[in-house]
Amino acid sequence: MTEALEWLQFVLAPQMINGLSIGVAVVLMALGLTIIFGLLDVINMAHGEFYAIGAYLAVALLGLGLSFWWALALTPVLMAVLGYATERGLIQRVFHSKDRHTLTLLLTFGLAIVLEDVLKIIFGANPLRVETPITGGSELFGLFFPNYRLFVMTAGGLLIAAVWMLVFRTSLGAIVRAAAFDRHMSASLGVPVSRVYAATFAFGVALAGLAGVLLAPIYSVFPTMGRDFVLIAFSVVIIGGMGSIKGAVLSGLLLTQVQSISSLFISPVWNDPLLFGIMVMVLMWRPQGLFGKLGHA
């Protein structure tokens, strides 16, 4: 009995906290993906590379002598500019096409390949490290946790709540949802639909970049890092319901907990099969995902 309690306290609980800190960042990334899909109906295959660019921007800004906190503040702004330019320069050109879904998917897939190669050319293929800005740990409930992971959980949780408030409790969010629901009616009422779409895409890209900065001190930064996380993010969005913020949050936290706890019992090479197995089972039960569309929160 004593051994079981010690295992729960010193093995399972820390693993769940680690999974929760990763889960919050994954949810931020998935939120960007689900907002872009839910509002623009665009499947952004380059979302993982935007996450990687966010992490590399942190590396570059730190290299310029700025602190991590400046990198955390500036990177989402720079990523939003990049996302806005991408939407206006690429997505907008095929957005009104009859084959929009196929064209935007292929376009963003090609963009992902280009961005990954650009990162290799600029920063090289070797992994880079970002020093943890908050060192040490804290004791909670008799357990010792790294302070930076506690910061990621707290900051990420506040950001997720802020995104939900912005989309569903502000006039700006109402305008964006109205433009997504009926762009012709919104345009007739004076809403600049084209700019709203570009700003929405930019916001989703900024969230991906922010997730990249938050996770940079936990993981190494390397050009293909976006591939791993975009698979998780797409699984989160599909299981939660394409376009559902509530679904993205719950499924993101659930999947990262499953991955974290399962690593105690099985090899990490089984993480992806486990993830996709859960996705297949959920889709067999509910093809629309757990919570459906963005309009239903």
Side-chain angles (χ1 to χ4, degrees):
M1 185 65 180
T2 304
E3 290 183 356
L5 289 175
E6 288 180 347
W7 185 85
L8 289 174
Q9 183 177 8
F10 297 110
V11 179
L12 182 61
Q15 196 71 7
M16 291 180 69
I17 293 295
N18 289 338
L20 189 58
S21 63
I22 303 299
V24 168
V26 168
V27 168
L28 273 180
M29 186 176 173
L31 277 184
L33 199 60
T34 202
I35 285 173
I36 290 173
F37 178 80
L39 296 177
L40 305 186
D41 210 14
V42 170
I43 300 175
N44 180 21
M45 297 298 290
H47 206 67
E49 279 61 39
F50 288 129
Y51 156 77
I53 291 173
Y56 272 109
L57 274 176
V59 172
L61 292 171
L62 290 172
L64 292 175
L66 297 179
S67 69
F68 177 84
W69 307 113
W70 273 109
L72 189 63
L74 290 176
T75 296
V77 178
L78 297 173
M79 292 302 298
V81 173
L82 176 61
Y84 193 89
T86 302
E87 203 280 343
R88 300 297 286 190
L90 296 177
I91 306 296
Q92 193 65 225
R93 294 179 181 277
V94 298
F95 190 77
H96 300 290
S97 169
K98 186 173 62 178
D99 300 319
R100 173 161 58 99
H101 292 103
T102 304
L103 290 175
T104 52
L105 189 148
L106 292 175
L107 184 63
T108 54
F109 180 71
L111 178 63
I113 296 173
V114 171
L115 291 177
E116 186 178 305
D117 285 340
V118 169
L119 288 177
K120 288 178 184 173
I121 293 170
I122 297 176
F123 295 97
N126 294 326
L128 303 174
R129 294 286 300 173
V130 172
E131 293 297 324
T132 306
I134 302 176
T135 57
S138 299
E139 187 175 339
L140 295 174
F141 310 111
L143 299 173
F144 187 80
F145 299 109
N147 284 332
Y148 183 71
R149 288 182 182 262
L150 295 176
F151 164 75
V152 170
M153 286 188 289
T154 305
L158 292 175
L159 286 168
I160 291 167
V163 169
W164 187 87
M165 291 287 290
L166 177 65
V167 174
F168 293 104
R169 290 292 183 269
T170 66
S171 56
L172 180 62
I175 291 173
V176 172
R177 286 184 289 126
F181 183 74
D182 191 332
R183 67 170 183 264
H184 299 296
M185 178 63 76
S186 299
S188 68
L189 294 174
V191 174
V193 174
S194 178
R195 278 185 285 169
V196 167
Y197 284 178
T200 303
F201 191 88
F203 183 63
V205 169
L207 288 177
L210 189 58
V213 181
L214 285 172
L215 287 183
I218 297 177
Y219 292 105
S220 296
V221 180
F222 50 97
T224 58
M225 61 187 290
R227 291 183 198 171
D228 298 333
F229 268 89
V230 81
L231 288 176
I232 299 176
F234 268 111
S235 302
V236 166
V237 172
I238 292 170
I239 291 174
M242 298 289 280
S244 169
I245 288 181
K246 182 168 64 177
V249 173
L250 293 180
S251 63
L253 296 178
L254 174 66
L255 286 184
T256 49
Q257 281 299 322
V258 169
Q259 278 194 320
S260 182
I261 295 173
S262 66
S263 65
L264 294 173
F265 307 100
I266 59 177
S267 168
V269 300
W270 288 98
N271 276 344
D272 286 346
L274 180 64
L275 200 69
F276 293 125
I278 294 172
M279 186 173 70
V280 168
M281 286 191 290
V282 170
L283 291 180
M284 288 176 65
W285 172 51
R286 283 179 65 85
Q288 73 275 31
L290 295 177
F291 294 98
K293 293 289 288 183
L294 184 64
H296 302 288

